[in-house]
Amino acid sequence: SSLNGKRINEVFAQYQGIPIDQMIERVRATDRLPGTKLTFTTPAGEPLTVLLRVERLRGGNDDVRGSIIIVDDISEREVLLQSISRFVSPAFAARLLEGKQSDFGEAEERDITVLFADIRGFTSMSEAMPLIELHTMLNSYFSAATDAIAEHNGTIDKFIGDNIMAIFATGEDCGANAAMRAALAIIRKVDQLNVMRARAGQPALDIGIGISTGLARLGVLGARARASYTAIGDTVNVAARLQAMAGPREILLSEATRTHVTELASIDSLGPVRLKGRLSPINLFSVRLAAEPVVLAEDTTRPINLPPPSYPDIDIATKITRLATRNGLSDAAIEISDDRIERSERD
């Protein structure tokens, strides 16, 4: 009712980004304005995207009686479209949002970077931990990790137990540098989480991360009753295998990822390693972060130095590495495995 009696240009003047004068001229000249997408800011500073159409009304003597303006708020759809369009073509993303993806075999292939991260020793922790405490711990970890991934333009593909799969696809580097930054941020955020866990008398969490870059197939996977949008292919499998092999506070990179990544951290070559399920070995690269003092935003006290992790057994990543390198690989690969076992036993 507050708009009654006001001229249209007066109504729209309060919104920034609407070319109202050009729109009025178009309606006067053609009696209509076809569906036009507009992005503007409300007086409250809220960004909105709308689809606006105008049809002019004429009486029996062809005299102008007024105009009908139809406005559809498509802001949420645009956010989804922009998010999905980072991984597939805008046309394919639009089809998904419009419900036109009827063929489950249809997908799009492109180069992306896939990141897997999970908690080292999670099985042992969950065996001894009450379920409510386990649930709280996982939520805290997932919150820290997803924040780090979102901050670097990644998208969570799925959670599998304590495992996170994320996809990065922006830039000429196929998302490799963004994934690397996200991995570093995940470990630092878990460091902050561990300070709070130490204060509560809870054990620290250690994260292992695997990153792989290459061709993947992105599309709808599943059945008509239950499906998800995901990535499949060797690139995904390699990232998962690297995550399984990574030690605590370690990021393992495929050779393709290492090629794209600039020097964001000290990167060591591990040489050729045979991954489970693959016939030929691949060159691996490692980033292992040392523990650093952590200061929480709410702290006014001195930094807290986290104690080094303690492992009652050789960690599972080391066992996997030894099994993967035992049969037919070079001496260099076996030395890498032996070195990991010695370090784990010392811890």
Side-chain angles (χ1 to χ4, degrees):
S1 59
S2 64
L3 302 181
N4 284 339
K6 291 185 178 179
R7 297 181 62 83
I8 190 68
N9 52 358
E10 182 183 353
V11 172
F12 280 89
Q14 59 183 317
Y15 299 102
Q16 302 177 18
I18 298 182
I20 185 62
D21 292 336
Q22 294 93 315
M23 292 163 58
I24 290 174
E25 290 302 318
R26 175 72 179 268
V27 173
R28 285 176 176 168
T30 65
D31 274 1
R32 65 188 303 268
L33 180 72
T36 302
K37 186 171 73 174
L38 298 172
T39 300
F40 57 93
T41 305
T42 68
E46 179 186 4
L48 287 179
T49 301
V50 303
L51 188 65
L52 185 144
R53 292 186 294 125
V54 181
E55 297 288 344
R56 211 167 195 186
L57 299 177
R58 290 184 178 272
N61 298 323
D62 204 32
D63 55 322
V64 175
R65 298 291 181 88
S67 297
I68 295 178
I69 302 176
I70 302 171
V71 182
D72 292 322
D73 186 348
I74 58 172
S75 301
E76 184 175 347
R77 179 185 182 278
E78 286 300 297
V79 171
L80 290 172
L81 181 60
Q82 291 174 13
S83 178
I84 298 174
S85 294
R86 296 207 306 267
F87 308 107
V88 300
S89 68
F92 185 68
R95 290 193 63 191
L96 287 175
L97 293 179
E98 292 168 5
K100 296 180 179 179
Q101 179 65 13
S102 57
D103 182 1
F104 279 82
E106 185 175 353
E108 186 166 88
E109 294 185 1
R110 64 176 296 182
D111 288 322
I112 62 172
T113 296
V114 180
L115 178 151
F116 277 87
D118 83 343
I119 301 170
R120 307 291 85 168
F122 176 75
T123 302
S124 300
M125 293 178 67
S126 59
E127 183 179 3
M129 190 178 294
L131 288 178
I132 187 170
E133 186 178 332
L134 180 67
H135 183 264
T136 301
M137 180 198 74
L138 281 177
N139 278 341
S140 298
Y141 160 61
F142 286 148
S143 178
T146 53
D147 284 349
I149 291 166
E151 288 168 5
H152 296 88
N153 296 317
T155 295
I156 300 294
D157 183 276
K158 62 174 67 73
F159 298 105
I160 311 168
D162 64 317
N163 203 329
I164 298 175
M165 173 182 169
I167 298 173
F168 300 79
T170 55
E172 295 181 356
D173 62 350
C174 309
N177 281 281
M180 183 66 185
R181 292 188 181 95
L184 295 170
I186 288 172
I187 292 177
R188 297 307 184 201
K189 285 181 181 290
V190 172
D191 283 348
Q192 296 173 0
L193 178 61
N194 282 337
V195 170
M196 294 183 285
R197 291 183 60 80
R199 290 174 178 174
Q202 298 169 335
L205 304 181
D206 277 300
I207 309 301
I209 298 175
I211 304 176
S212 176
T213 301
L215 189 66
R217 188 172 178 86
L218 297 104
V220 177
L221 188 68
R224 299 195 180 280
R226 174 81 175 186
S228 62
Y229 187 84
T230 188
I232 59 173
D234 186 57
T235 299
V236 179
N237 297 337
V238 168
R241 299 299 185 198
L242 297 188
Q243 174 272 123
M245 293 176 62
R249 302 182 63 82
E250 183 177 32
I251 305 166
L252 286 182
L253 313 175
S254 69
E255 185 172 16
T257 302
R258 176 64 185 95
T259 300
H260 288 293
V261 169
T262 54
E263 293 294 338
L264 299 173
S266 177
I267 301 176
D268 298 321
S269 174
L270 301 183
V273 175
R274 192 190 307 273
L275 302 183
K276 182 179 179 181
R278 297 184 99 252
L279 297 177
S280 57
I282 66 171
N283 291 319
L284 296 190
F285 298 83
S286 169
V287 177
R288 186 180 287 270
L289 298 183
E292 295 180 355
V294 175
V295 180
L296 299 181
E298 63 270 21
D299 268 346
T300 56
T301 58
R302 64 181 177 80
I304 296 176
N305 289 294
L306 295 176
S310 177
Y311 304 98
D313 264 332
I314 298 172
D315 62 73
I316 188 64
T318 303
K319 292 182 180 179
I320 292 173
T321 305
R322 168 163 273 188
L323 290 173
T325 58
R326 180 175 291 166
N327 187 12
L329 289 188
S330 65
D331 291 339
I334 295 173
E335 287 174 7
I336 292 168
S337 178
D338 290 341
D339 177 62
R340 286 188 175 185
I341 291 172
E342 290 173 5
R343 278 186 278 137
S344 184
E345 288 173 339
R346 284 200 301 271
D347 289 338

